[in-house]
Amino acid sequence: MAKIGKHIAIYGKGGIGKSTTTSNISAALAEAGYKVIQIGCDPKSDSTNTLRGNNYLPTVLDSLRSGNKVSLSDISVSGFKNVLCIESGGPVPGVGCAGRGINAAVTLLQELHLFEEFKPDYVLYDVLGDVVCGGFAVPIRDGITDRAYVVSSSDFMAVYAANNLFKAINKYAPTGGAKLGGVIANSITAGYSREIIDDFTKRTGTTVAGYIERSIVVQQSELYGKTVIEANPTAPQADLYRKLAKHIAENEDLVVPNPLGVTELRDWAREWGDKLYDLNGGVVRDSEGL
């Protein structure tokens, strides 16, 4: 079945700001006049919170478990600038595979002819990226998405998760899976954060799609239950998300990454640890010099 619009998977380690970033991209695209669908593929079902003002939204799996016939109106809500919000949901705690929600959501949405009827310009899949489970690879493995982006900070565990995603893309891209659009460098602070991400992307044959600086405006907007684009549209942080969304909309430079091996990645991390130690005169400091 031919896809309608660009289908984009956005991955990242839990807690890295993946859902915040995805929602602000969706909001920026919608603000620019595009028709957007955001599908949360995290069992926590909180991907679209700020797009829909924290209003309740039944998940696909919960709706299917009810045993009733499920319609699109049962599992979706129109959020900021008419972004259509959907949450796949997860299994009953302690039972089943969290990745099942993604399969169930995609299957149901196809049966409901969502994409043919809504005719989106962009469909964003917000996917947890630090769980080694085949279910979470569905968006990039089975040709559901055209491309993937990985959200990462300069912290080692975030880079580690990004490198694992590169391995999955490297495996599936040659057989019709999604290619990589780039790394979204999130929570970037003054100092060496940008240099670390730049070096990692250089060594893996990838690029940086955009740099999103750490800002209290993000936290403030989320406390209001809104994206930065909606709550603080004139803030510099909003323009960072608009710039990122524009890049994603226009970018066709997709690649198959060359992930680092486990030993190679750890050696790279140690090199940067030594470099920061030397640059700071033998004193351990964070990226803000504290």
Side-chain angles (χ1 to χ4, degrees):
M1 183 178 66
K3 289 191 289 290
I4 298 173
K6 288 185 179 179
H7 289 238
I8 303 166
I10 299 184
Y11 283 85
K13 174 184 175 295
I16 199 61
K18 166 182 53 63
S19 295
T20 297
T21 302
T22 304
S23 294
N24 275 285
I25 293 171
S26 290
L29 289 171
E31 181 188 57
Y34 295 109
K35 295 186 69 174
V36 182
I37 300 173
Q38 181 166 319
I39 302 173
C41 300
D42 190 316
K44 296 194 303 298
S45 308
D46 58 358
S47 170
T48 60
N49 278 357
T50 57
L51 287 168
R52 51 186 167 85
N54 288 330
N55 292 323
Y56 176 69
L57 173 63
T59 70
V60 171
L61 279 186
D62 283 344
S63 298
L64 289 173
R65 277 193 288 263
S66 71
N68 300 321
K69 184 177 180 180
V70 180
S71 66
L72 182 60
S73 62
D74 295 325
I75 56 168
S76 67
V77 66
S78 182
F80 175 72
K81 296 291 184 181
N82 296 319
V83 173
L84 191 66
C85 302
I86 298 170
E87 297 283 353
S88 65
V92 175
V95 181
C97 170
R100 177 174 173 264
I102 303 175
N103 279 309
V106 170
T107 300
L108 179 61
L109 296 178
Q110 290 175 344
E111 291 175 353
L112 294 174
H113 305 290
L114 167 65
F115 306 120
E116 293 91 337
E117 293 186 10
F118 191 80
K119 294 181 172 56
D121 297 301
Y122 296 94
V123 183
L124 275 63
Y125 299 78
D126 175 10
V127 196
L128 188 62
D130 54 1
V131 177
V132 182
C133 168
F136 290 104
V138 167
I140 59 172
R141 184 186 67 202
D142 297 340
I144 294 171
T145 59
D146 307 299
R147 59 208 68 198
Y149 287 83
V150 178
V151 180
S152 179
S153 68
S154 61
D155 295 339
F156 176 73
M157 292 311 298
V159 172
Y160 183 88
N163 194 64
N164 276 343
L165 261 299
F166 288 0
K167 292 178 181 179
I169 294 170
N170 184 276
K171 176 180 176 62
Y172 296 122
T175 55
K179 292 184 179 181
L180 183 74
V183 173
I184 299 171
N186 194 44
S187 294
I188 297 301
T189 58
Y192 308 104
S193 297
R194 183 177 294 213
E195 294 176 47
I196 291 173
I197 290 292
D198 286 347
D199 189 40
F200 172 66
T201 55
K202 179 180 179 181
R203 296 197 185 206
T204 53
T206 61
T207 58
V208 176
Y211 302 92
I212 304 299
E213 297 173 2
R214 184 175 296 172
S215 171
I216 195 172
V217 172
V218 177
Q219 183 179 12
Q220 179 193 41
S221 300
E222 292 188 339
L223 289 171
Y224 290 143
K226 299 178 179 180
T227 62
V228 174
I229 299 295
E230 180 181 6
N232 291 278
T234 61
Q237 192 76 9
D239 286 336
L240 291 179
Y241 287 122
R242 291 186 182 103
K243 182 178 179 182
L244 174 60
K246 185 175 186 293
H247 173 83
I248 289 174
E250 298 175 351
N251 181 36
E252 294 298 332
D253 185 18
L254 310 178
V255 302
V256 178
N258 298 308
L260 302 178
V262 175
T263 300
E264 190 179 7
L265 180 63
R266 294 195 179 277
D267 287 346
W268 170 83
R270 290 191 189 97
E271 288 175 12
W272 266 105
D274 291 342
K275 185 181 296 186
L276 296 185
Y277 187 80
D278 292 340
L279 288 171
N280 287 318
V283 177
V284 178
R285 302 176 187 271
D286 66 19
S287 59
E288 295 176 320
L290 302 176

